[in-house]
Amino acid sequence: MKPVVVIPARFASSRLPGKPLLRHTGKFLVQHVYERALQATRVSGVVVATDDDRIVRAVESFGGKVMMSRADHPSGTDRVAEVAIMLGADAVINLQGDEPDFDPAGLDRLADMLNGDASVDCATLATPIREAAAYRNPNVVKVVSDDRGRALYFSRAPIPFGRDGDPDFVKDTILQHLGVYAFRTPALLQFTRTPPHPLERIEKLEQLRLLGTGVPIAVGIIAHAAVGIDTPDDYARFVRAWFAKSGAIAA
């Protein structure tokens, strides 16, 4: 089974309006994400899911596959679920449209996790936290896993909590959750039909809807986290890094 990578993309963004269509590198931001996803070898394809004609035209302009979805979805996950139905896909990977540096090997890892264990309906990724500042930062979501690599809990709080001081950041036991998921489609559809769980409402983390209703989540560990684009400063850093790496000259 090769899952389809679905990239939900919307034009509206409170901190960075029109984010998918930013083009200071000569490529749309969503195009960078799309092209990175195409480098994965264990997926059957890549498609952008959007409700905006401007994004449709942009994706079509670089030869990408795009599907129009409803405009009333409460989250990107719901948008991905609609596209999964339209595609008739057995499994999908939900990749955020603001992570142009995401490692394609992570997508392959997610596909392998679904294929390697028939009991896994949902898989996600995490990376070791190396600094106390990230451990304490509520914007960095932490995950604790059991010995089988199943998530025990996700939180914005520092978990596991070091009662005797900060934990040892060298032993790879303090993990940052990365917001990319692989779902078997039936599990994804069940997720979108399930009301938000009380834990989800408190932490504002939708994956707690799965744990709160008894759905296991497999957690794979990768070496590094990609930096998402949330603010103008984030995008400016990406543009500078892209020009430095590509050797191109900024206009």
Side-chain angles (χ1 to χ4, degrees):
M1 179 182 64
K2 287 189 172 184
V4 179
V5 178
V6 181
I7 303 169
R10 64 189 186 94
F11 190 85
S13 172
S14 58
R15 289 186 288 179
L16 195 53
K19 178 164 57 173
L21 303 187
L22 294 174
R23 203 179 184 181
H24 295 175
T25 64
K27 293 183 178 184
F28 298 109
L29 179 59
V30 71
Q31 182 178 357
H32 283 286
V33 181
Y34 190 97
E35 291 177 352
R36 291 285 284 178
L38 283 178
Q39 295 175 35
T41 61
R42 294 180 176 86
V43 303
S44 62
V46 182
V47 59
V48 175
T50 188
D51 62 356
D52 194 287
D53 287 332
R54 290 164 292 188
I55 295 175
V56 170
R57 291 193 296 270
V59 176
E60 290 177 342
S61 75
F62 63 78
K65 183 173 182 179
V66 60
M67 299 185 75
M68 198 73 166
S69 63
R70 300 198 322 265
D72 60 348
H73 288 304
S75 73
T77 305
D78 295 278
R79 195 177 309 283
V80 170
E82 182 188 356
V83 169
I85 294 172
M86 291 192 286
L87 291 171
D90 293 326
V92 295
I93 295 175
N94 179 352
L95 176 63
Q96 298 302 311
D98 58 4
E99 295 202 11
D101 290 324
F102 192 87
D103 187 352
L107 304 178
D108 288 335
R109 177 71 183 278
L110 287 168
D112 287 344
M113 291 166 71
L114 290 187
N115 283 314
D117 188 341
S119 70
V120 172
D121 287 331
C122 178
T124 192
L125 298 174
T127 192
I129 290 176
R130 302 298 188 193
E131 298 177 353
Y135 171 64
R136 300 191 189 102
N137 186 345
N139 294 316
V140 175
V141 178
K142 275 69 69 176
V143 58
V144 174
S145 302
D146 65 16
D147 289 342
R148 298 186 304 154
R150 300 292 198 271
L152 293 171
Y153 194 65
F154 299 85
S155 182
R156 298 182 183 279
I159 58 170
F161 180 73
R163 195 194 71 168
D164 297 325
D166 283 343
D168 187 346
F169 295 109
V170 179
K171 294 183 178 179
D172 294 352
T173 54
I174 314 301
L175 298 175
Q176 174 184 348
H177 177 235
L178 308 179
V180 56
Y181 299 89
F183 279 99
R184 299 187 197 276
T185 299
L188 174 58
L189 300 183
Q190 180 60 40
F191 171 83
T192 60
R193 290 192 292 260
T194 302
H197 190 273
L199 292 173
E200 175 186 356
R201 291 193 181 99
I202 293 170
E203 294 255 19
K204 299 297 186 288
L205 298 174
E206 67 178 7
Q207 61 268 43
L208 292 176
R209 190 183 318 175
L210 294 167
L211 291 189
T213 54
V215 178
I217 303 174
V219 180
I221 311 300
I222 62 175
H224 304 287
V227 178
I229 308 298
D230 292 320
T231 68
D233 286 344
D234 293 338
Y235 183 65
R237 281 192 292 270
F238 165 71
V239 170
R240 288 194 299 269
W242 187 85
F243 278 115
K245 184 177 180 180
S246 68
I249 299 174

